[in-house]
Amino acid sequence: MSTANWDLDPSMESTAIVQLQPKYDLFIGGCWQKPKSGKYFATYNPADESVLSEIAYGNQDDVNLAVEAARKAYNEVWSKMSGAERGKYLFRIARIMQEKSRELAVLETLDGGKPIRESRDIDIPLACNHFFYYAGWADKLAEAFPGQKPTALGVAGQITPWNFPLLMLAWKIAPALACGNTVVLKPAETTSLTALKFAEICEQAQLPAGVVNIVTGHGDTGAALVANQDLDKIAFTGSTAVGKLIHKACIGTSKKLTLELGGKSANIILEDAPIDQAVEGIINAIFFNQGHVCCAGSRLFVQESIASKVIEKLKFRLQSIYVGNPLDKNTDIGAVNSKKQLETIEKYIALGLEEGAEIFQPTCNLPSKGYYCKPTLFTDVAQSARIAQEEIFGPVLTIQTFRTLEEVVQKANNSPYGLAAGVWTVNGARIFGLSQQLKAGVVWANTYNKFDPTSPFGGYKESGFGREGGRHGLSAYLQFKN
Ligand code: NAP
Ligand code: MG
């Protein structure tokens, strides 16, 4: 690891706390079951390409068994339990997660490649907080929806992506269980380990068998879950392309559906913004978690009068960014999650050059093993350029300028996506004006990538529908009798 301006000694997080089994089976009906497929696949550490463990590949038979177990648990135990009792289990799970937070953080970093600072300070505390938050709602559903007689849906199939593995699990399992549903969750192929650790936590919490089932596997395992006829709900977070397939598969069925999909979010810097703060905000918006963030501020719009100053400061700041081993506490940008994703990002960087944009990358050295990408800025980007229109899901920022607020609203909204946006200005009226006009599920003002369990999150347009988090996140797992 090296940077132009800084030369810090390594500060490595120890991996001794992580207890990994060489092989993981499927967690179905409260037991670890060998897959009917008979197959296992390796999960890797993207920081050095080493194998961490072997994981069971679940097929349609495995998925069907998991749904049967979830149905049995729903009918015989969970739907009969009071909200207060369900809440106690959720509180117990949250507390055990907190006790194991260091192990979970190191494991998330080993399996996914994100900097330990982020796993430790963001992913795991937020995941715990979602369980604490929804535990509190479990016995207050009638108060949350007065006069509407909320009841559980039944059994939910849940599919999560690789960018925030445990956090996305928490977004899905905590509200589902609080509302009285049971679940079958399919984690992403490259980052299943914290979901499997979560299964161990459910065992430790003595959660009744079958309330939570974890079926690992590939994309077709997810498709098998969607195809199961005995589910009442599908909750999916992932790419818009897969979300569209799932949407089609659910049409004409009684399954309730929520889709949290991709994004190409606009981060807008007005000329009166506090520039140094905004520069840090831009860095956080796009380079956080290697840009593997659905709501990443991947399109920067800077008002023309301050554009050259902002770009100059951004370039200077990038020279001191640490790219390298994610277990090093100094690291700002860790490893890209997989070889496949690195190839996708590199393809887009080449495309940006072909499209005539000007590139800037800092002069840092990348580790020789593992999947790494330098933070990349593109200036002189046309509004129609594919790098400004398509989700890259990597540390690549396109920069465009604007003169008037009308112009930036038009440019920012000219996207098939509508997940998030950022606005930087000292003028409160402009914040309110822009946030009303921007077609985005979340608009952050003078900050970016801030999450809280009490706050709903979700998209417009091709970024999906439904909300997770807050009271809204409860209604995704309830039906109403009035
Ligand atoms: P992905 O390829 O769509 O995969 C998401 C999940 O779906 C994985 O578990 C995947 O399994 C599974 N899957 C793949 N094909 C499937 C199919 N035909 N039917 C059912 N399930 C299937 O997305 P990703 O690459 O993991 O994640 C990145 C995407 O997620 C980005 O587009 C990002 O914007 C989006 N995202 C959105 C939010 C949000 O809240 N809106 C949050 C995080 C991420 P495998 O892993 O085995 O392929
Ligand atoms: Mg991995």
Side-chain angles (χ1 to χ4, degrees):
M1 173 188 316
S2 78
T3 68
N5 300 338
W6 300 86
D7 197 11
L8 301 178
D9 285 337
S11 171
M12 303 301 287
E13 178 75 35
S14 163
T15 59
I17 197 166
V18 175
Q19 292 187 356
L20 267 186
Q21 294 169 31
K23 205 179 206 185
Y24 283 91
D25 290 321
L26 305 170
F27 186 67
I28 296 178
C31 319
W32 294 92
Q33 302 199 12
K34 300 219 167 304
K36 298 282 172 210
S37 72
K39 292 185 195 155
Y40 293 81
F41 60 95
T43 190
Y44 297 89
N45 177 352
D48 62 8
E49 303 170 48
S50 60
V51 173
L52 292 167
S53 187
E54 298 284 323
I55 287 177
Y57 163 65
N59 65 13
Q60 186 77 61
D61 292 338
D62 295 304
V63 163
N64 293 349
L65 279 177
V67 176
E68 271 172 39
R71 178 63 62 191
K72 188 166 183 291
Y74 177 74
N75 288 338
E76 295 178 7
V77 186
W78 205 242
S79 63
K80 295 184 174 155
M81 199 181 276
S82 69
E85 285 303 310
R86 289 198 309 272
K88 284 186 199 167
Y89 281 106
L90 289 173
F91 276 123
R92 199 179 293 168
I93 289 172
R95 282 195 302 268
I96 300 173
M97 285 170 76
Q98 240 177 4
E99 280 162 20
K100 291 183 180 287
S101 58
R102 182 124 176 262
E103 182 184 9
L104 290 168
V106 176
L107 189 54
E108 204 74 300
T109 285
L110 282 174
D111 202 17
K114 65 174 59 195
I116 186 68
R117 254 184 9 220
E118 286 172 12
S119 314
R120 185 195 63 200
D121 298 345
I122 298 167
D123 291 56
I124 307 304
L126 265 177
C128 297
N129 284 346
H130 272 82
F131 276 94
F132 278 117
Y133 173 74
Y134 281 112
W137 275 122
D139 63 347
K140 301 174 196 71
L141 298 175
E143 286 74 22
F145 303 98
Q148 295 183 64
K149 297 194 184 141
T151 54
L153 296 172
V155 181
Q158 306 181 318
I159 302 173
T160 49
W162 45 259
N163 58 343
F164 291 93
L166 191 69
L167 183 58
M168 292 298 110
L169 174 151
W171 279 21
K172 296 201 160 25
I173 293 186
L177 264 48
C179 292
N181 304 273
T182 59
V183 305
V184 177
L185 181 125
K186 201 305 261 179
E189 180 180 330
T190 56
T191 54
S192 301
L193 290 177
T194 44
L196 293 164
K197 275 278 161 201
F198 180 80
E200 292 175 0
I201 290 170
C202 293
E203 283 184 301
Q204 199 182 329
Q206 296 177 352
L207 188 71
V211 172
V212 167
N213 304 273
I214 307 287
V215 180
T216 46
H218 301 285
D220 54 0
T221 311
L225 186 58
V226 174
N228 183 286
Q229 305 283 321
D230 194 31
L231 287 170
D232 302 294
K233 157 93 188 180
I234 295 286
F236 172 77
T237 298
S239 62
T240 295
V242 174
K244 284 181 180 175
L245 292 176
I246 292 176
H247 195 182
K248 269 192 201 142
C250 289
I251 287 172
T253 74
S254 58
K255 290 178 189 125
K256 208 170 162 183
L257 179 65
T258 40
L259 295 174
E260 300 282 359
L261 309 177
K264 190 77 181 174
S265 300
N267 200 7
I268 300 170
I269 319 293
L270 304 189
E271 59 193 356
D272 64 357
I275 290 189
D276 290 328
Q277 256 174 273
V279 166
E280 282 310 304
I282 295 163
I283 300 269
N284 169 44
I286 180 63
F287 300 126
F288 171 47
N289 193 17
Q290 294 72 248
H292 299 334
V293 183
C294 51
C295 50
S298 52
R299 289 186 297 153
L300 177 65
F301 293 97
V302 191
Q303 201 149 18
E304 204 173 81
S305 53
I306 55 162
S308 55
K309 194 167 175 189
V310 169
I311 292 167
E312 187 191 322
K313 281 180 178 264
L314 261 178
K315 289 179 178 173
F316 180 77
R317 178 66 180 87
L318 278 187
Q319 290 292 357
S320 61
I321 286 259
Y322 263 64
V323 187
N325 190 333
L327 281 171
D328 190 327
K329 290 167 216 155
N330 297 312
T331 292
D332 299 303
I333 298 187
V336 169
N337 180 259
S338 64
K339 187 163 185 257
K340 189 169 151 235
Q341 186 59 22
L342 180 59
E343 285 165 2
T344 303
I345 299 167
E346 285 171 344
K347 189 192 80 190
Y348 273 107
I349 292 177
L351 180 68
L353 291 170
E354 270 170 45
E355 289 183 318
E358 192 171 314
I359 191 170
F360 172 84
Q361 292 179 319
T363 52
C364 54
N365 297 323
L366 301 182
S368 54
K369 250 193 147 189
Y371 313 129
Y372 294 91
C373 180
K374 286 187 183 182
T376 304
L377 305 182
F378 276 113
T379 47
D380 290 336
V381 180
Q383 175 72 13
S384 59
R386 281 182 59 196
I387 55 164
Q389 289 289 329
E390 298 175 17
E391 186 183 42
I392 300 174
F393 222 56
V396 181
L397 179 67
T398 61
I399 305 178
Q400 293 171 261
T401 59
F402 66 93
R403 287 186 182 167
T404 65
L405 295 189
E406 293 70 33
E407 180 189 352
V408 77
V409 167
Q410 197 269 330
K411 281 180 167 169
N413 285 341
N414 182 5
S415 161
Y417 296 109
L419 198 52
V423 176
W424 295 80
T425 168
V426 291
N427 183 321
R430 285 191 179 150
I431 291 173
F432 287 116
L434 280 173
S435 55
Q436 303 244 323
Q437 292 175 72
L438 291 167
K439 292 200 176 67
V442 178
V443 181
W444 283 290
N446 295 325
T447 187
Y448 207 95
N449 277 337
K450 284 276 183 292
F451 299 95
D452 191 279
T454 62
S455 172
F457 184 87
Y460 277 78
K461 302 194 278 186
E462 293 198 9
S463 292
F465 50 77
R467 294 291 179 265
E468 290 185 316
R471 203 171 60 93
H472 298 67
L474 292 169
S475 52
Y477 288 97
L478 290 169
Q479 52 192 325
F480 300 98
K481 296 260 163 75
N482 275 346

